[in-house]
């Protein structure tokens, strides 16, 4: 990281060229996106043998983190129909807001003599089943179509 901090303008220009090549080619070398997955215990007083008591964090390289920061604004600026219904992992939103809205809606309809039917989907394990190569390729295509990064 010190090399990046003290690399100066020449290093910034080379990184910009490299990042733009990634976007234009819609390809990232495997060594660039490799990371180390480390399990962290959620509750130390919980069952340490239970796999659900752990969450994984990924330790990535400094260059990949810089690339991620550079494209994060472009990727997050896209809005779709599902974005407006997402509460968790979204800036300024939380699942407690969603729960509050749900309770008020149920209260409204039950107070007016109506039945309430709901359906819940648990996406807890969905993250483990994501095809990351396909996801990243689609993100790169969206970014490369909309902007030429940094310059």
């Amino acid at each position: 990281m010190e090399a990046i901090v003290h690399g100066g303008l020449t290093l910034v220009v080379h990184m910009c060229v490299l990042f733009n090549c990634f976007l234009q080619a819609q390809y990232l070398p495997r060594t660039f996106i490799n990371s180390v997955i480390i399990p962290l215990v959620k509750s130390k007083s919980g069952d340490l043998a239970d796999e659900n008591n752990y969450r994984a964090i990924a330790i990535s390289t400094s260059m990949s983190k810089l690339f991620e920061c550079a494209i994060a604004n472009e990727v997050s600026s896209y809005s779709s129909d599902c974005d407006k219904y997402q509460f968790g992992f979204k800036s300024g939103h939380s699942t407690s807001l969603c729960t509050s809205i749900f309770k008020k809606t149920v209260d409204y309809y039950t107070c007016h003599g109506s039945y309430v039917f709901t359906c819940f989907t648990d996406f807890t394990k969905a993250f483990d089943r994501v095809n990351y190569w396909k996801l990243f390729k689609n993100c790169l295509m969206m970014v490369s179509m909309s902007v030429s990064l940094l310059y």
Side-chain angles (χ1 to χ4, degrees):
M1 194 62 186
E2 286 184 24
I4 295 171
V5 170
H6 301 292
L9 184 60
T10 304
L11 180 60
V12 171
V13 169
H14 282 89
M15 286 173 35
C16 179
V17 169
L18 176 67
F19 291 172
N20 277 308
C21 287
F22 288 160
L23 292 173
Q24 289 173 354
Q26 297 180 5
Y27 175 79
L28 283 176
R30 189 175 290 269
T31 55
F32 186 80
I33 59 174
N34 278 349
S35 59
V36 177
I37 307 295
I38 299 177
L40 291 180
V41 177
K42 290 181 183 177
S43 172
K44 292 181 182 177
S45 61
D47 182 8
L48 296 179
D50 182 13
E51 67 181 26
N52 293 318
N53 192 29
Y54 290 87
R55 67 181 178 91
I57 62 166
I59 307 297
S60 303
T61 64
S62 299
M63 288 292 283
S64 65
K65 288 179 184 179
L66 286 172
F67 181 66
E68 180 182 323
C69 288
I71 66 171
N73 289 336
E74 291 302 317
V75 172
S76 65
S77 68
Y78 287 93
S79 62
S80 66
D81 290 338
C82 66
D83 287 345
K84 62 185 173 187
Y85 300 114
Q86 179 181 340
F87 287 88
F89 305 107
K90 186 176 178 183
S91 180
H93 293 78
S94 71
T95 54
S96 59
L97 174 64
C98 181
T99 305
S100 174
I101 292 170
F102 174 73
K103 286 181 178 180
K104 287 180 182 181
T105 304
V106 170
D107 288 344
Y108 174 83
Y109 283 104
T110 54
C111 287
H112 287 85
S114 179
Y115 293 104
V116 177
F117 299 96
T118 62
C119 175
F120 296 95
T121 304
D122 182 9
F123 290 112
T124 305
K125 300 292 182 186
F127 185 75
D128 299 334
R129 292 174 176 81
V130 172
N131 181 339
Y132 298 105
W133 290 106
K134 186 175 182 179
L135 175 67
F136 196 73
K137 182 179 177 183
N138 288 339
C139 288
L140 281 175
M141 284 192 298
M142 287 189 324
V143 170
S144 64
M145 286 188 294
S146 68
V147 67
S148 176
L149 185 62
L150 297 176
Y151 281 125

